[in-house]
Amino acid sequence: MISHSYSLILLGVMFAPKRAALSLPKNALFRTRSQFIQSTASVVFFSDIARIVSGDQSSVACAEDFVGKDVTRNTPRYVESEVQMKYGNDAKGNPRTRGVLVRRFTGDSSPYSFPPPRPISLVKEWPETPPFSKKDFFRADEGDDENFYNLPRLVYHIDEPAVASLTQYYRANVSPGSNILDICSSWVSHYPVEFPKMMKRISGTGMNALELLANDQLTDYEARNLNVNPTLPYDDDSFDVVTCVVSIDYLIHPIDVLKEVRRVLRPGGKVIISQSNRCFPSKAIAMWLNMNDRQHLEL
């Protein structure tokens, strides 16, 4: 178990014992930054999404540029790209699109440095019957989660130092050639830039299909509401590592989901759960809101 200052706490746990390719639509067009900045808020009705490279493609970081090199020195601090969204057709059948310029933290080349992980002694044994009640999983907003997460949020929910800390932890603790699953995923997974080229597979599942499509680190994804269906759409023993970034506090069936995580992990596999002191309080479970950071780790 390790803990960092900033807005992130990491928890690493060792467990013992339809593929949808990302691609650009045929009618995708490269647009200038000014054209995207001038876009209006009418992108609320999305039906398609694509990631478009901004400006000169030669200036954009590619994973193959860093394999075999000191990536922490050669990777740019940020990668900018444009997400173009198709939200319908006009009266003549022509596609109508808008887009957003997004900046992704690479987790490298930042001014932040972190001490080696510090082990923390936690509860070693839990009772066979979980000591929780139904009220522990109540939320202030019990409305439909799919409505809450309906619109893509192409923003960060943790700050850059937290992203850098998490990215560096992944680099140090995930072996090349691994099969990785990112649950409760979004448009970013915080993996090092070289991971898509170094790993066999990076799968993702999350609430918003459009955000998953915009995540350029995933090789495949499937949108799923784990609060409605707390199962993972993967075979037993499929992955070496499962990650969950600052989302465990939103699950109303976390034990069932973690049982599924164990099922899809290979013997000796690893789950890395990151926790933050930031959240949507209306959607976080009551038990989480009533605990401090140390108690979060004990969970």
Side-chain angles (χ1 to χ4, degrees):
M1 319 303 180
I2 67 172
S3 175
H4 288 303
S5 56
Y6 307 102
S7 67
L8 182 71
I9 297 172
L10 299 179
L11 172 63
V13 181
M14 292 295 295
F15 276 152
K18 284 163 189 181
R19 190 177 178 93
L22 302 182
S23 62
L24 297 179
K26 294 180 180 180
N27 60 355
L29 300 176
F30 288 96
R31 294 181 173 234
T32 66
R33 179 177 305 187
S34 61
Q35 287 176 309
F36 274 80
I37 292 176
Q38 294 169 4
S39 298
T40 68
S42 59
V43 295
V44 295
F45 302 104
F46 302 133
S47 63
D48 198 4
I49 186 171
R51 178 172 291 276
I52 311 297
V53 177
S54 173
D56 181 4
Q57 296 185 64
S58 63
S59 66
V60 178
C62 298
E64 56 265 32
D65 295 334
F66 309 107
V67 176
K69 300 180 181 179
D70 184 351
V71 292
T72 62
R73 294 180 56 187
N74 293 285
T75 309
R77 185 173 177 180
Y78 309 113
V79 174
E80 291 185 344
S81 58
E82 295 172 349
V83 173
Q84 179 174 286
M85 301 176 185
K86 173 187 173 185
Y87 61 96
N89 299 321
D90 62 18
K92 297 181 179 180
N94 298 314
R96 304 184 66 184
T97 60
R98 291 291 186 270
V100 178
L101 178 68
V102 295
R103 169 181 283 186
R104 180 164 67 84
F105 302 140
T106 67
D108 293 320
S109 302
S110 74
Y112 311 109
S113 60
F114 308 95
R118 177 171 57 90
I120 299 175
S121 178
L122 301 175
V123 175
K124 295 183 178 180
E125 294 184 7
W126 282 82
E128 185 173 344
T129 301
F132 309 123
S133 64
K134 289 184 178 181
K135 68 179 182 180
D136 290 327
F137 301 99
F138 287 168
R139 299 172 297 168
D141 178 4
E142 291 288 358
D144 190 340
D145 292 330
E146 294 185 24
N147 288 336
F148 184 83
Y149 295 102
N150 184 49
L151 295 180
R153 290 182 173 90
L154 303 179
V155 298
Y156 278 88
H157 301 290
I158 51 178
D159 56 25
E160 187 182 3
V163 172
S165 173
L166 183 56
T167 299
Q168 293 172 27
Y169 184 80
Y170 286 152
R171 179 176 285 128
N173 290 275
V174 179
S175 301
S178 295
N179 289 276
I180 306 173
L181 170 62
D182 190 27
I183 66 171
C184 304
S185 189
S186 65
W187 73 284
V188 288
S189 291
H190 311 298
Y191 298 136
V193 294
E194 70 273 16
F195 267 32
K197 291 294 183 180
M198 296 180 64
M199 302 302 164
K200 290 182 180 178
R201 175 186 183 186
I202 303 179
S203 302
T205 182
M207 287 288 299
N208 191 292
L210 298 179
E211 286 197 26
L212 296 173
L213 180 58
N215 188 330
D216 60 2
Q217 292 192 312
L218 301 180
T219 56
D220 60 89
Y221 69 88
E222 182 165 334
R224 174 156 300 200
N225 184 348
L226 293 176
N227 282 341
V228 173
N229 182 5
T231 63
L232 297 174
Y234 306 102
D235 295 334
D236 295 357
D237 304 333
S238 295
F239 299 98
D240 304 294
V241 179
V242 176
T243 60
C244 180
V245 179
V246 296
S247 296
I248 196 74
D249 44 321
Y250 301 121
L251 296 178
I252 61 176
H253 306 293
I255 296 175
D256 293 332
V257 172
L258 290 175
K259 286 180 179 179
E260 280 289 285
V261 166
R262 182 165 186 171
R263 178 185 65 79
V264 302
L265 274 175
R266 291 168 179 158
K270 180 185 298 184
V271 57
I272 303 173
I273 300 174
S274 59
Q275 304 172 0
S276 173
N277 53 14
R278 302 178 180 181
C279 68
F280 295 117
S282 63
K283 282 298 184 181
I285 60 175
M287 176 169 52
W288 187 270
L289 296 177
N290 292 325
M291 290 180 169
N292 58 35
D293 289 341
R294 174 63 186 233
Q295 291 170 317
H296 293 161
L297 281 174
E298 294 286 354
L299 282 179

